[in-house]
Amino acid sequence: MVSLLKLALIGGAAALAPQRTPSAKVSAEPARREFIQGTAATAAGAAALAGLPAASSAAPLAIKNWERVSLPVSTTLFDIAFDTDTHGYLVGAKGTFLETVDGGKNWKPRTFANLDEEEEVGYRFEKVSFQDGEGWVVGKPPILLHTVDAGKSWERIPLSPKLPGEPTGVVALGKSKAEMTTSTGAIYSTTNAGRNWKAQVKETIDATLNRVSSSGVSGASYFTGSVATIQREKDGTYLAVSSRGNFYLTWSPGQDFWLPHNRGTPRRIQAMGFVEGDSSKGVWMTLNGGQMALGGKSAVDDAEPTFNVINLNSGGYGILDAAWRDSKEAWAVGGGNTMYVSKDGGKNFKFDDSADKIPGNLYAIKFFGPNTGFALGSDGVLMKFNA
């Protein structure tokens, strides 16, 4: 029977200290172009005076696909979200909560008025989501924050002690609507800004695995009761990886329970997601040892899906996340701040050296349209895509 979680709102809107000073937008392109042209002209003149033949036009300077954004923190970054094309938030470890008002070129720290400094530093903010001025943040120790004014003020939403597992994700779905997931695979929805939550999955993953373990789902008997990651695509379909990485699960709106799937390889799953964020286009999967594979729609529907290993030479570095810029161009990131790009929809990847000289790991990559992308990592590393 569908259960209701009664979460009574407690008072105290958490006002953020206003630090939203837009940075001036100054283009460096004309100055750089004039400098290059002036340098070329000077070189040509010197060659003529020396009686030497003029050099042919210089090859265009190589511009990296990604550039590092300077941040006022050196903590691990976990998630990023935008409310408009220019206004967004970045969250991470040790209370990291940054705001941009210029599309991600500059970021400034924000604080919650109802959390003292020592308390806030103790939080690990893991997910942030915005839609139409309404936003949500979830973190550990368990905390859920909500804003209805694009982040000017925040309210802490109390979480029921009966909540199965810890909150691991939240997705803003419009006015007063959101979905929240937990570490046990529970999915809850609210239509009244978190006052009440309704369970969407009627059967726990444990119960499902006990019922279907005889069907041959590899690793089901080793399930520890939690999932490592949960991803949501735009139509509400979810994808979860077991904490051991030995199988994965999918759930679609209207289903009573998660559908477990074999991974089809002896290697453990490291990360998974939907191709182009769309379950109808299949699933990508990264494996221990730096391998990556693609599965079609059957990877969502069938318990025994077929995955094809793709051409990606990672040198053994783990691939931790992937994202599609459009139907043809895809990017993958991982350990050692490695980046890889595909120009054929994810069938083949090649190394990109944009972050090659930066120490650390890249944990997540996101695109907000074809011209806006960010890669997040350890040590305060934020890479911004150059369109």
Side-chain angles (χ1 to χ4, degrees):
M1 179 177 181
V2 178
S3 62
L4 287 179
L5 288 181
K6 302 288 187 178
L7 303 179
L9 286 174
I10 59 175
L16 287 171
Q19 298 180 12
R20 299 177 57 177
T21 304
S23 297
K25 297 183 178 180
V26 180
S27 174
E29 284 302 314
R32 182 173 64 177
R33 193 178 301 116
E34 291 166 5
F35 170 77
I36 294 172
Q37 291 171 348
T39 302
T42 301
L49 288 174
L52 299 173
S56 59
S57 298
L61 295 176
I63 299 176
K64 291 184 180 295
N65 291 301
W66 299 78
E67 63 181 354
R68 184 173 182 179
V69 178
S70 177
L71 295 180
V73 297
S74 58
T75 53
T76 299
L77 308 175
F78 292 120
D79 200 13
I80 185 171
F82 280 82
D83 181 40
T84 67
D85 290 342
T86 57
H87 182 224
Y89 289 94
L90 181 64
V91 297
K94 297 182 179 179
T96 297
F97 193 70
L98 307 178
E99 181 184 26
T100 181
V101 293
D102 59 9
K105 298 181 181 69
N106 298 279
W107 297 82
K108 291 189 176 183
R110 301 296 304 274
T111 58
F112 295 102
N114 66 337
L115 295 177
D116 62 44
E117 185 175 349
E118 291 185 3
E119 183 183 11
E120 189 167 347
V121 170
Y123 282 105
R124 170 186 169 121
F125 298 125
E126 295 186 334
K127 295 292 181 182
V128 57
S129 180
F130 269 86
Q131 184 170 319
D132 300 331
E134 189 163 357
W136 301 80
V137 172
V138 70
K140 294 178 182 176
I143 187 171
L144 180 63
L145 300 162
H146 177 229
T147 179
V148 295
D149 54 13
K152 293 182 179 68
S153 62
W154 292 80
E155 180 178 40
R156 185 169 180 174
I157 306 297
L159 296 167
S160 170
K162 296 181 180 180
L163 187 72
E166 296 181 342
T168 57
V170 65
V171 178
L173 298 175
K175 185 173 177 57
S176 301
K177 297 179 181 179
E179 287 182 358
M180 177 178 64
T181 56
T182 76
S183 56
T184 63
I187 303 173
Y188 293 94
S189 66
T190 182
T191 57
N192 57 8
R195 291 182 178 85
N196 305 98
W197 295 87
K198 181 179 181 180
Q200 300 300 296
V201 184
K202 298 180 180 180
E203 185 176 72
T204 65
I205 292 179
D206 274 320
T208 299
L209 294 177
N210 288 333
R211 180 169 51 78
V212 303
S213 59
S214 60
S215 66
V217 176
S218 178
S221 60
Y222 298 100
F223 183 62
T224 61
S226 63
V227 292
T229 62
I230 301 182
Q231 302 285 338
R232 184 189 190 275
E233 69 106 47
K234 54 190 175 186
D235 76 353
T237 299
Y238 280 87
L239 174 65
V241 177
S242 70
S243 56
R244 289 176 175 262
N246 45 14
F247 66 94
Y248 71 96
L249 309 103
T250 56
W251 178 86
S252 296
Q255 294 180 342
D256 290 339
F257 51 83
W258 287 90
L259 175 64
H261 305 261
N262 278 316
R263 65 187 187 274
T265 172
R267 294 178 182 265
R268 297 294 179 92
I269 302 170
Q270 194 141 25
M272 292 188 75
F274 296 106
V275 173
E276 297 183 53
D278 187 343
S279 63
S280 67
K281 296 182 179 180
V283 166
W284 60 265
M285 174 172 66
T286 65
L287 306 164
N288 284 352
Q291 288 190 1
M292 187 172 179
L294 290 179
K297 185 66 165 63
S298 65
V300 178
D301 299 329
D302 301 340
E304 299 285 346
T306 299
F307 281 90
N308 297 312
V309 176
I310 62 177
N311 181 23
L312 190 158
N313 182 12
S314 71
Y317 283 108
I319 306 301
L320 304 178
D321 198 15
W324 267 246
R325 182 187 174 208
D326 53 36
S327 61
K328 293 295 184 182
E329 185 172 318
W331 288 84
V333 298
N337 274 345
T338 48
M339 306 187 83
Y340 308 88
V341 60
S342 169
K343 299 292 187 177
D344 58 6
K347 298 181 179 65
N348 298 278
F349 282 81
K350 66 178 182 179
F351 178 74
D352 179 89
D353 66 355
S354 293
D356 193 34
K357 304 299 183 181
I358 303 174
N361 301 307
L362 290 174
Y363 296 116
I365 182 168
K366 274 185 160 185
F367 281 96
F368 303 90
N371 298 322
T372 305
F374 294 89
L376 289 62
S378 59
D379 304 313
V381 172
L382 177 67
M383 305 296 293
K384 185 176 184 297
F385 182 73
N386 287 316

